[in-house]
Structure formats: C-alpha cells, structure tokens
mmCIF file of all heavy atoms in Angstrom:
data_model
loop_
_atom_site.group_PDB
_atom_site.id
_atom_site.type_symbol
_atom_site.label_atom_id
_atom_site.label_comp_id
_atom_site.label_asym_id
_atom_site.label_seq_id
_atom_site.Cartn_x
_atom_site.Cartn_y
_atom_site.Cartn_z
ATOM 1 N N GLY A 25 -6.665 12.322 -10.026
ATOM 2 C CA GLY A 25 -5.246 11.968 -10.022
ATOM 3 C C GLY A 25 -4.581 12.366 -8.715
ATOM 4 O O GLY A 25 -3.796 11.603 -8.136
ATOM 5 N N PHE A 26 -4.904 13.564 -8.217
ATOM 6 C CA PHE A 26 -4.386 13.993 -6.910
ATOM 7 C C PHE A 26 -4.836 13.042 -5.803
ATOM 8 O O PHE A 26 -4.070 12.728 -4.886
ATOM 9 C CB PHE A 26 -4.866 15.413 -6.585
ATOM 10 C CG PHE A 26 -4.188 16.486 -7.380
ATOM 11 C CD1 PHE A 26 -4.848 17.657 -7.715
ATOM 12 C CD2 PHE A 26 -2.876 16.341 -7.802
ATOM 13 C CE1 PHE A 26 -4.221 18.656 -8.443
ATOM 14 C CE2 PHE A 26 -2.240 17.328 -8.530
ATOM 15 C CZ PHE A 26 -2.916 18.480 -8.862
ATOM 16 N N PHE A 27 -6.085 12.581 -5.883
ATOM 17 C CA PHE A 27 -6.594 11.673 -4.851
ATOM 18 C C PHE A 27 -5.782 10.382 -4.811
ATOM 19 O O PHE A 27 -5.323 9.953 -3.739
ATOM 20 C CB PHE A 27 -8.068 11.352 -5.109
ATOM 21 C CG PHE A 27 -8.589 10.193 -4.312
ATOM 22 C CD1 PHE A 27 -8.836 10.338 -2.960
ATOM 23 C CD2 PHE A 27 -8.814 8.968 -4.912
ATOM 24 C CE1 PHE A 27 -9.308 9.259 -2.204
ATOM 25 C CE2 PHE A 27 -9.288 7.894 -4.170
ATOM 26 C CZ PHE A 27 -9.535 8.038 -2.817
ATOM 27 N N PHE A 28 -5.596 9.751 -5.951
ATOM 28 C CA PHE A 28 -4.856 8.487 -5.964
ATOM 29 C C PHE A 28 -3.402 8.686 -5.561
ATOM 30 O O PHE A 28 -2.815 7.835 -4.890
ATOM 31 C CB PHE A 28 -4.944 7.843 -7.350
ATOM 32 C CG PHE A 28 -6.292 7.274 -7.672
ATOM 33 C CD1 PHE A 28 -7.036 7.761 -8.734
ATOM 34 C CD2 PHE A 28 -6.835 6.267 -6.899
ATOM 35 C CE1 PHE A 28 -8.281 7.253 -9.020
ATOM 36 C CE2 PHE A 28 -8.093 5.750 -7.178
ATOM 37 C CZ PHE A 28 -8.811 6.234 -8.242
ATOM 38 N N MET A 29 -2.809 9.812 -5.937
ATOM 39 C CA MET A 29 -1.439 10.079 -5.522
ATOM 40 C C MET A 29 -1.359 10.304 -4.016
ATOM 41 O O MET A 29 -0.392 9.884 -3.364
ATOM 42 C CB MET A 29 -0.886 11.284 -6.281
ATOM 43 C CG MET A 29 -0.637 10.996 -7.759
ATOM 44 S SD MET A 29 -0.049 12.428 -8.688
ATOM 45 C CE MET A 29 1.568 12.642 -7.984
ATOM 46 N N SER A 30 -2.381 10.953 -3.434
ATOM 47 C CA SER A 30 -2.376 11.150 -1.983
ATOM 48 C C SER A 30 -2.505 9.814 -1.261
ATOM 49 O O SER A 30 -1.923 9.610 -0.191
ATOM 50 C CB SER A 30 -3.509 12.090 -1.569
ATOM 51 O OG SER A 30 -4.767 11.468 -1.698
ATOM 52 N N VAL A 31 -3.276 8.886 -1.837
ATOM 53 C CA VAL A 31 -3.352 7.540 -1.261
ATOM 54 C C VAL A 31 -1.985 6.868 -1.330
ATOM 55 O O VAL A 31 -1.528 6.240 -0.364
ATOM 56 C CB VAL A 31 -4.410 6.697 -1.998
ATOM 57 C CG1 VAL A 31 -4.365 5.243 -1.522
ATOM 58 C CG2 VAL A 31 -5.794 7.277 -1.792
ATOM 59 N N GLY A 32 -1.315 7.009 -2.482
ATOM 60 C CA GLY A 32 0.014 6.428 -2.630
ATOM 61 C C GLY A 32 1.019 6.995 -1.650
ATOM 62 O O GLY A 32 1.939 6.292 -1.200
ATOM 63 N N MET A 33 0.859 8.268 -1.278
ATOM 64 C CA MET A 33 1.781 8.890 -0.337
ATOM 65 C C MET A 33 1.710 8.265 1.047
ATOM 66 O O MET A 33 2.632 8.404 1.852
ATOM 67 C CB MET A 33 1.510 10.400 -0.257
ATOM 68 C CG MET A 33 1.889 11.153 -1.523
ATOM 69 S SD MET A 33 1.321 12.885 -1.527
ATOM 70 C CE MET A 33 2.280 13.560 -0.174
ATOM 71 N N HIS A 34 0.614 7.577 1.354
ATOM 72 C CA HIS A 34 0.476 6.902 2.646
ATOM 73 C C HIS A 34 1.071 5.497 2.627
ATOM 74 O O HIS A 34 1.145 4.850 3.683
ATOM 75 C CB HIS A 34 -0.997 6.816 3.053
ATOM 76 C CG HIS A 34 -1.612 8.131 3.411
ATOM 77 N ND1 HIS A 34 -2.123 8.997 2.471
ATOM 78 C CD2 HIS A 34 -1.784 8.751 4.604
ATOM 79 C CE1 HIS A 34 -2.597 10.080 3.080
ATOM 80 N NE2 HIS A 34 -2.405 9.950 4.370
ATOM 81 N N LEU A 35 1.430 4.990 1.460
ATOM 82 C CA LEU A 35 1.918 3.611 1.362
ATOM 83 C C LEU A 35 3.378 3.528 1.783
ATOM 84 O O LEU A 35 4.218 4.277 1.293
ATOM 85 C CB LEU A 35 1.763 3.100 -0.075
ATOM 86 C CG LEU A 35 0.338 3.022 -0.630
ATOM 87 C CD1 LEU A 35 0.368 2.524 -2.066
ATOM 88 C CD2 LEU A 35 -0.527 2.115 0.224
ATOM 89 N N ASP A 36 3.664 2.606 2.679
ATOM 90 C CA ASP A 36 5.038 2.322 3.091
ATOM 91 C C ASP A 36 5.457 1.040 2.361
ATOM 92 O O ASP A 36 5.169 -0.077 2.819
ATOM 93 C CB ASP A 36 5.109 2.147 4.608
ATOM 94 C CG ASP A 36 6.541 2.043 5.111
ATOM 95 O OD1 ASP A 36 7.435 1.735 4.296
ATOM 96 O OD2 ASP A 36 6.770 2.264 6.315
ATOM 97 N N ILE A 37 6.105 1.198 1.229
ATOM 98 C CA ILE A 37 6.446 0.061 0.387
ATOM 99 C C ILE A 37 7.355 -0.914 1.130
ATOM 100 O O ILE A 37 7.206 -2.144 1.018
ATOM 101 C CB ILE A 37 7.116 0.533 -0.917
ATOM 102 C CG1 ILE A 37 6.182 1.486 -1.680
ATOM 103 C CG2 ILE A 37 7.470 -0.658 -1.797
ATOM 104 C CD1 ILE A 37 4.890 0.872 -2.105
ATOM 105 N N ALA A 38 8.317 -0.391 1.897
ATOM 106 C CA ALA A 38 9.243 -1.268 2.621
ATOM 107 C C ALA A 38 8.504 -2.142 3.631
ATOM 108 O O ALA A 38 8.752 -3.352 3.728
ATOM 109 C CB ALA A 38 10.313 -0.423 3.311
ATOM 110 N N ALA A 39 7.588 -1.526 4.384
ATOM 111 C CA ALA A 39 6.826 -2.306 5.358
ATOM 112 C C ALA A 39 5.913 -3.315 4.665
ATOM 113 O O ALA A 39 5.745 -4.450 5.140
ATOM 114 C CB ALA A 39 6.001 -1.368 6.236
ATOM 115 N N MET A 40 5.332 -2.920 3.535
ATOM 116 C CA MET A 40 4.474 -3.841 2.795
ATOM 117 C C MET A 40 5.269 -5.010 2.243
ATOM 118 O O MET A 40 4.776 -6.143 2.205
ATOM 119 C CB MET A 40 3.763 -3.092 1.661
ATOM 120 C CG MET A 40 2.745 -2.065 2.130
ATOM 121 S SD MET A 40 2.087 -1.064 0.771
ATOM 122 C CE MET A 40 1.271 -2.328 -0.187
ATOM 123 N N ALA A 41 6.491 -4.758 1.819
ATOM 124 C CA ALA A 41 7.330 -5.837 1.292
ATOM 125 C C ALA A 41 7.638 -6.871 2.370
ATOM 126 O O ALA A 41 7.716 -8.077 2.096
ATOM 127 C CB ALA A 41 8.621 -5.267 0.725
ATOM 128 N N MET A 42 7.814 -6.419 3.613
ATOM 129 C CA MET A 42 8.112 -7.351 4.706
ATOM 130 C C MET A 42 6.929 -8.266 5.003
ATOM 131 O O MET A 42 7.102 -9.425 5.397
ATOM 132 C CB MET A 42 8.491 -6.571 5.961
ATOM 133 C CG MET A 42 9.792 -5.786 5.843
ATOM 134 S SD MET A 42 10.132 -4.799 7.322
ATOM 135 C CE MET A 42 10.222 -6.099 8.565
ATOM 136 N N ASP A 43 5.708 -7.753 4.816
ATOM 137 C CA ASP A 43 4.497 -8.538 5.090
ATOM 138 C C ASP A 43 3.769 -8.917 3.806
ATOM 139 O O ASP A 43 2.551 -9.130 3.818
ATOM 140 C CB ASP A 43 3.549 -7.738 5.984
ATOM 141 C CG ASP A 43 4.133 -7.476 7.360
ATOM 142 O OD1 ASP A 43 4.823 -8.372 7.871
ATOM 143 O OD2 ASP A 43 3.913 -6.373 7.902
ATOM 144 N N ALA A 44 4.509 -9.001 2.696
ATOM 145 C CA ALA A 44 3.882 -9.257 1.399
ATOM 146 C C ALA A 44 3.039 -10.533 1.368
ATOM 147 O O ALA A 44 1.909 -10.512 0.855
ATOM 148 C CB ALA A 44 4.948 -9.293 0.303
ATOM 149 N N PRO A 45 3.509 -11.674 1.899
ATOM 150 C CA PRO A 45 2.673 -12.887 1.849
ATOM 151 C C PRO A 45 1.326 -12.704 2.553
ATOM 152 O O PRO A 45 0.284 -13.101 2.017
ATOM 153 C CB PRO A 45 3.546 -13.941 2.556
ATOM 154 C CG PRO A 45 4.939 -13.454 2.375
ATOM 155 C CD PRO A 45 4.847 -11.964 2.454
ATOM 156 N N ALA A 46 1.336 -12.084 3.745
ATOM 157 C CA ALA A 46 0.083 -11.895 4.476
ATOM 158 C C ALA A 46 -0.837 -10.931 3.730
ATOM 159 O O ALA A 46 -2.053 -11.156 3.654
ATOM 160 C CB ALA A 46 0.379 -11.359 5.884
ATOM 161 N N ILE A 47 -0.263 -9.857 3.175
ATOM 162 C CA ILE A 47 -1.078 -8.886 2.443
ATOM 163 C C ILE A 47 -1.710 -9.525 1.224
ATOM 164 O O ILE A 47 -2.910 -9.345 0.945
ATOM 165 C CB ILE A 47 -0.207 -7.666 2.052
ATOM 166 C CG1 ILE A 47 0.200 -6.884 3.305
ATOM 167 C CG2 ILE A 47 -0.974 -6.757 1.091
ATOM 168 C CD1 ILE A 47 1.180 -5.776 3.038
ATOM 169 N N LEU A 48 -0.935 -10.304 0.468
ATOM 170 C CA LEU A 48 -1.473 -10.967 -0.721
ATOM 171 C C LEU A 48 -2.544 -11.976 -0.351
ATOM 172 O O LEU A 48 -3.561 -12.105 -1.043
ATOM 173 C CB LEU A 48 -0.339 -11.652 -1.488
ATOM 174 C CG LEU A 48 0.680 -10.707 -2.146
ATOM 175 C CD1 LEU A 48 1.838 -11.511 -2.743
ATOM 176 C CD2 LEU A 48 0.016 -9.868 -3.225
ATOM 177 N N PHE A 49 -2.343 -12.696 0.765
ATOM 178 C CA PHE A 49 -3.329 -13.677 1.202
ATOM 179 C C PHE A 49 -4.639 -13.001 1.579
ATOM 180 O O PHE A 49 -5.736 -13.442 1.186
ATOM 181 C CB PHE A 49 -2.768 -14.472 2.386
ATOM 182 C CG PHE A 49 -3.739 -15.466 2.954
ATOM 183 C CD1 PHE A 49 -3.987 -16.681 2.314
ATOM 184 C CD2 PHE A 49 -4.420 -15.187 4.131
ATOM 185 C CE1 PHE A 49 -4.880 -17.590 2.833
ATOM 186 C CE2 PHE A 49 -5.336 -16.093 4.664
ATOM 187 C CZ PHE A 49 -5.559 -17.313 4.007
ATOM 188 N N ILE A 50 -4.561 -11.901 2.354
ATOM 189 C CA ILE A 50 -5.763 -11.178 2.770
ATOM 190 C C ILE A 50 -6.466 -10.568 1.570
ATOM 191 O O ILE A 50 -7.699 -10.612 1.453
ATOM 192 C CB ILE A 50 -5.400 -10.103 3.811
ATOM 193 C CG1 ILE A 50 -4.902 -10.764 5.093
ATOM 194 C CG2 ILE A 50 -6.600 -9.194 4.101
ATOM 195 C CD1 ILE A 50 -4.340 -9.784 6.100
ATOM 196 N N ALA A 51 -5.677 -9.975 0.641
ATOM 197 C CA ALA A 51 -6.283 -9.379 -0.557
ATOM 198 C C ALA A 51 -7.011 -10.441 -1.394
ATOM 199 O O ALA A 51 -8.112 -10.205 -1.873
ATOM 200 C CB ALA A 51 -5.209 -8.686 -1.391
#
C-alpha cells in the first residue's frame, strides 16, 4: 500500500489532465 501511494505522490494530475488525449492514446 505504501508503494502504490508513493507512486501516486509522483503523479501531477493537473499536467496529466492537460495531456489527457495523448496519454490515453499511448496507454
């Protein structure tokens, strides 16, 4: 649980939202 939360701490949700189409396409 600590591991996944530490991964989440690196996520910049605002930046991901700006590039959401590209991220979804690559995923």
Side-chain angles (χ1 to χ4, degrees):
F26 287 149
F27 166 74
F28 288 118
M29 290 178 68
S30 71
V31 173
M33 291 171 65
H34 291 84
L35 298 179
D36 188 340
I37 302 298
M40 293 173 63
M42 294 176 60
D43 295 323
I47 292 173
L48 292 174
F49 177 77
I50 294 172

